[in-house]
Amino acid sequence: SQQGEEDPQALSIQEGENATMNCSYKTSINNLQWYRQNSGRGLVHLILIRSNEREKHSGRLRVTLDTSKKSSSLLITASRAADTASYFCARRTGGGNKLTFGTGTQLKVEL
Amino acid sequence: GAGVSQSPSNKVTEKGKDVELRCDPISGHTALYWYRQSLGQGLEFLIYFQGNSAPDKSGLPSDRFSAERTGGSVSTLTIQRTQQEDSAVYLCASSPGQGIGEQFFGPGTRLTVL
């Protein structure tokens, strides 16, 4: 079963609005990564935040991490129709190398 | 440069048949991963290779599933005696070094077991 969840499961917004997606997890992490998946480009890495970091930015993306609450959020500012996709958080835990993915948030950005 | 490639892109097979899925990682990437994604779900880890060895096989769902990697490059995931519940998209990813950061994913193989 998946270790953690994203919420909401689905999100529909208008172009230009901001989109916020949340990710919760259950065990300690080394890092947390966000990926985007759409039919055109497959699964693509967006941003990585380490366990000792609290916030990270990349272009229109802002990721926060609260290890005390075991949660992370991904904010997409000034959304575009091209941002329509499923967004997954993935955790690297312990000494392992695998990523544990959540169930994803389906984002739809409407014109 | 070239990304991760997988073949075939689609595979339809009959229940009970064996299938082989292939992954060509990015050149020079020593870490290689197989994941499975069922319809509308997140990714489920199957197996991790570092070079030709597989230190983590914990995600393989049954002994019908096996994988190998040769020459530190190409990997093959084999599913024997396929079942309908094996239907999913099988994704391969690679990363440089010990794989602690970003993983680069291939386009996947969509497997349908009739």
Side-chain angles (χ1 to χ4, degrees), chain A residues 56-70:
Chain A
K56 204 160 185 180
H57 297 254
S58 176
R60 294 184 295 111
L61 306 180
R62 172 179 168 244
V63 169
T64 61
L65 178 64
D66 186 335
T67 53
S68 66
K69 295 181 179 179
K70 293 186 168 57

Side-chain angles (χ1 to χ4, degrees), chain B residues 11-66:
Chain B
K11 176 72 176 179
V12 180
T13 190
E14 294 180 347
K15 178 181 173 181
K17 295 283 181 66
D18 298 351
V19 295
E20 282 191 355
L21 312 180
R22 176 186 168 110
C23 172
D24 283 87
I26 293 173
S27 178
H29 281 190
T30 58
L32 185 148
Y33 311 79
W34 284 97
Y35 294 87
R36 178 169 72 173
Q37 185 175 29
S38 300
L39 186 64
Q41 300 296 309
L43 276 69
E44 173 189 7
F45 169 80
L46 297 178
I47 187 169
Y48 155 64
F49 286 92
Q50 183 59 43
N52 290 338
S53 63
D56 190 348
K57 304 178 183 179
S58 62
L60 294 178
S62 76
D63 59 8
R64 296 187 295 104
F65 287 72
S66 63

Side-chain angles (χ1 to χ4, degrees), chain B residues 73-113:
Chain B
S73 180
V74 172
S75 176
T76 302
L77 177 69
T78 300
I79 308 173
Q80 296 178 309
R81 305 181 302 282
T82 52
Q83 303 294 312
Q84 288 185 333
E85 61 262 28
D86 299 334
S87 295
V89 176
Y90 289 82
L91 290 159
C92 174
S94 70
S95 63
Q98 293 297 310
I100 61 174
E102 173 184 0
Q103 294 183 11
F104 296 80
F105 282 82
T109 293
R110 181 176 297 278
L111 175 66
T112 302
V113 182

Side-chain angles (χ1 to χ4, degrees), chain A residues 34-46:
Chain A
W34 285 88
Y35 286 80
R36 179 180 64 209
Q37 185 178 43
N38 59 33
S39 58
R41 293 196 59 196
L43 198 68
V44 175
H45 179 266
L46 295 176

Side-chain angles (χ1 to χ4, degrees), chain A residues 55-105:
Chain A
E55 186 170 315
K56 204 160 185 180
H57 297 254
S58 176
R60 294 184 295 111
L61 306 180
R62 172 179 168 244
V63 169
T64 61
L65 178 64
D66 186 335
T67 53
S68 66
K69 295 181 179 179
K70 293 186 168 57
S71 68
S72 174
S73 66
L74 170 68
L75 169 68
I76 304 174
T77 59
S79 64
R80 304 168 182 168
D83 295 329
T84 294
S86 292
Y87 291 81
F88 296 91
C89 70
R91 282 83 66 193
R92 180 174 175 265
T93 61
N97 294 78
K98 69 182 181 185
L99 291 176
T100 301
F101 283 79
T103 51
T105 293

